[in-house]
Amino acid sequence: MSKFDFQFQKNASNQSVTAGLAMFETQKKAGIQQGSQAGTVKTARKYIDDAMDLVVSLDYNAARAMLDEALSIYPEDIVLLRLSGDVYLQQDDKDNALLTYMTAMGVNPLDTQVLNSIGSLLGLMGNSHDAKGFFQAAHNTDPSDAYSGYNWAHNSMKDSDWSFFDRLPQILRLGDRCPLDVQPFTLLGLTDDPALHKVRVKARCRDLMKRIKENKRFSRTSVHGRKIRIGFFSDDFRDHATMLLMGRFFDLIDRERFEVIIYDYGSSGNSAVRLQVEESADIYHNVRDISDHEMAELARKDGVDIAIDMKTYTKGARLAAFAERVAPVQVAFLGYPGTSGLPTMDYFIGDEITVPPSLRQHFSEKILYMPNCYQVNDNTREHSPDMPTRAELGLPEDAFVFCSLNNPNKVTPAEFDVWTKLLHNVPDSVLWLFAPTITIQENLLREAKARGIGPERLVFAARVSRAMRETG
């Protein structure tokens, strides 16, 4: 597996690797401290090269030992510190990763990539508020850095902090120069321009396809007289929104015509949802610990006819395997609502609402239109027998309730402008929003006040259990 394969494979699930491993080669070439000890002591450059080879081979323990030795000799080498933090992260040791990144920041508090690494790690730890600050600091240090700009905007959106919007046009243009620093899922929350989305993902895929050889040869017998083998690829076969939607989906597939193979690159834990999926499959593989290339080879060995990628650019995606081709027919479905831009992704499952025919040109895939709605939804989920009252939810008894319970990062000033105009036009009404933190609530109240809406017109909802979400 090449260095690029490693970086690409990890990017979607581990953003600080993007801020770390994907940039350290550039820093080496720029002449960052490499050590000058003579004799048998290795230079920092040599340690970095050797440790990276171990990382590429997924031998994190050996890489850890080598980096510890290197840092005992070169304790202030920025690249060594950043790579050490990245390896801690791959070992799922977030505390030591953060400590190592902070040590690097102590060496150079203006190192953009160190600030990005800290911001990315804080985001992984669920602390988007503090992550926003590090990304903003990185972007202020280097306004040409696309990665920090996009992630500053993304984490600001999670706080309903729209103070960056006057700089959004400049941030969006940064992707022209550095398309690999633009995470497609982040872009979705910042603009609904489908043409721009396609440009960005196609640039990423061109870079990917330069490094991965597409497999075009598959050994297949005719499907006449045998079942068609469908492979489903995801790491969301667990207690996740994807499986809340899919529910009995796998059980309802016509087993007289199709054979179902699951490729699960999530945790191999014994959750009820994962076990249900395993029982529903004809063949189940947990492929978390094998490379993208090995997963593609396994799928070809299994004789998969149609591969369904349920991730694309969402967290945990393994698009490099689909670039190589795991099956002669490859389909994007459900997880990501935009085009992959991948020339080897043949089809996208949608409907005329989510992909209007007038926008088909912004998808690199052929569109498979479902007759009503592309999204499956489990109709067997149990609903809570308890119906909360308005008073229990903090809602006035006699007001009309406008409601949006989307995650805050999906709400932009454009939507909020429409909603506050509705409140002006319907005096006896309130706006009910999901706002799980005090920071989000304060930001929304400030935005409402700026639009002439008093605090009594906004009602905030907190997170609730699934049973409560599915009430009535």
Side-chain angles (χ1 to χ4, degrees):
M1 183 168 67
S2 70
K3 291 181 182 179
F4 177 87
D5 295 335
F6 171 81
Q7 292 160 12
F8 192 93
Q9 177 178 328
K10 298 297 182 182
N11 275 351
S13 61
N14 190 335
Q15 300 294 350
S16 82
V17 173
T18 304
L21 297 177
M23 297 296 176
F24 100 101
E25 287 282 1
T26 302
Q27 291 199 3
K28 288 196 305 179
K29 293 176 182 177
I32 288 177
Q33 176 188 351
Q34 302 300 337
S36 59
Q37 271 81 343
T40 59
V41 178
K42 290 197 295 187
T43 65
R45 169 74 179 259
K46 178 61 174 171
Y47 273 115
I48 291 167
D49 286 341
D50 291 347
M52 193 60 194
D53 287 339
L54 292 169
V55 168
V56 169
S57 66
L58 307 184
D59 192 348
Y60 301 127
N61 291 334
R64 168 86 278 128
M66 180 169 292
L67 289 166
D68 288 345
E69 177 185 325
L71 285 168
S72 71
I73 303 171
Y74 309 106
E76 295 190 348
D77 187 285
I78 288 285
V79 182
L80 278 171
L81 285 166
R82 285 183 45 235
L83 183 55
S84 178
D86 293 340
V87 171
Y88 273 127
L89 201 49
Q90 294 309 310
Q91 294 175 307
D92 200 28
D93 188 347
K94 295 184 178 67
D95 290 338
N96 271 318
L98 182 58
L99 179 62
T100 305
Y101 292 145
M102 295 299 287
T103 302
M105 189 177 73
V107 174
N108 182 1
L110 297 180
D111 187 291
T112 302
Q113 297 308 322
V114 170
L115 294 170
N116 281 338
S117 293
I118 296 172
S120 298
L121 177 53
L122 289 172
L124 285 175
M125 297 171 76
N127 187 351
S128 60
H129 179 73
D130 288 340
K132 174 183 67 176
F134 281 95
F135 286 125
Q136 184 175 1
H139 194 63
N140 288 340
T141 301
D142 181 6
S144 68
D145 182 60
Y147 185 86
S148 60
Y150 274 83
N151 281 284
W152 169 36
H154 179 61
N155 284 277
S156 294
M157 292 287 289
K158 290 184 176 181
D159 263 354
S160 296
D161 175 2
W162 304 328
S163 59
F164 70 91
F165 257 83
D166 60 341
R167 293 170 64 176
L168 181 58
Q170 291 81 11
I171 292 172
L172 291 176
R173 285 198 294 270
L174 293 175
D176 294 339
R177 184 173 60 87
C178 303
L180 292 181
D181 286 342
V182 179
Q183 297 299 320
F185 195 75
T186 297
L187 187 62
L188 282 178
L190 300 176
T191 175
D192 60 0
D193 181 351
L196 180 60
H197 284 276
K198 185 178 181 180
V199 167
R200 291 288 180 262
V201 296
K202 283 183 74 68
R204 293 175 67 88
C205 290
R206 280 195 299 270
D207 202 82
L208 173 61
M209 296 304 295
K210 290 177 184 177
R211 293 160 172 81
I212 293 180
K213 183 177 180 181
E214 178 185 355
N215 175 72
K216 297 182 179 180
R217 301 185 65 181
F218 292 90
S219 177
R220 289 290 183 277
T221 60
S222 170
V223 296
H224 296 292
R226 71 170 177 87
K227 296 180 182 179
I228 297 173
R229 290 193 156 194
I230 305 180
F232 293 87
F233 296 75
S234 180
D235 71 346
D236 292 333
F237 300 116
R238 52 191 170 87
D239 187 8
H240 183 273
T242 296
M243 291 312 300
L244 286 178
L245 289 173
M246 297 195 77
R248 297 167 54 235
F249 175 86
F250 298 109
D251 291 331
L252 296 175
I253 293 175
D254 184 355
R255 296 309 172 85
E256 295 297 320
R257 299 176 57 201
F258 301 101
E259 186 174 356
V260 172
I261 308 176
I262 297 292
Y263 298 87
D264 182 359
Y265 27 93
S267 172
S268 58
N270 291 324
S271 72
V273 175
R274 194 202 66 77
L275 290 174
Q276 179 183 355
V277 171
E278 182 175 353
E279 291 174 1
S280 298
D282 296 293
I283 300 174
Y284 172 89
H285 297 295
N286 187 283
V287 292
R288 179 182 182 181
D289 296 326
I290 65 175
S291 71
D292 293 337
H293 173 68
E294 291 169 329
M295 185 172 74
E297 285 191 325
L298 176 61
R300 291 195 290 267
K301 182 180 178 181
D302 287 339
V304 173
D305 298 298
I306 303 171
I308 310 293
D309 174 23
M310 298 167 59
K311 300 295 297 183
T312 313
Y313 291 112
T314 54
K315 184 178 179 181
R318 301 194 43 184
L319 204 60
F322 293 89
E324 183 178 338
R325 273 201 180 273
V326 300
V329 177
Q330 301 191 141
V331 183
F333 174 57
L334 194 61
Y336 183 77
T339 182
S340 70
L342 195 67
T344 56
M345 192 67 71
D346 304 298
Y347 298 98
F348 179 95
I349 295 178
D351 57 52
E352 292 195 356
I353 301 298
T354 55
V355 188
S358 61
L359 299 180
R360 286 183 63 170
Q361 72 268 27
H362 301 306
F363 281 74
S364 60
E365 305 88 354
K366 296 177 182 177
I367 308 299
L368 295 175
Y369 281 105
M370 298 300 290
N372 297 303
C373 178
Y374 85 99
Q375 188 181 90
V376 296
N377 212 309
D378 183 11
N379 63 356
T380 66
R381 290 207 306 264
E382 294 184 1
H383 295 269
S384 170
D386 301 319
M387 175 70 76
T389 65
R390 284 194 172 209
E392 290 172 335
L393 296 172
L395 297 168
E397 293 292 340
D398 55 352
F400 185 88
V401 179
F402 294 104
C403 175
S404 173
L405 299 180
N406 282 289
N407 281 321
N409 65 292
K410 298 180 180 180
V411 179
T412 74
E415 288 81 37
F416 203 71
D417 284 343
V418 173
W419 297 342
T420 51
K421 287 178 182 178
L422 287 171
L423 293 178
H424 279 296
N425 292 333
V426 184
D428 295 324
S429 65
V430 296
L431 176 58
W432 191 25
L433 296 170
F434 174 56
T437 71
I438 294 298
T439 298
I440 294 172
Q441 294 172 16
E442 290 175 345
N443 286 335
L444 290 172
L445 288 171
R446 185 179 62 254
E447 294 289 345
K449 182 179 179 180
R451 292 163 174 80
I453 297 296
E456 74 282 358
R457 305 292 300 280
L458 269 61
V459 181
F460 298 121
R463 293 192 183 278
V464 297
S465 67
R466 187 190 306 166
M468 284 290 293
R469 291 201 305 270
E470 296 175 359
T471 294

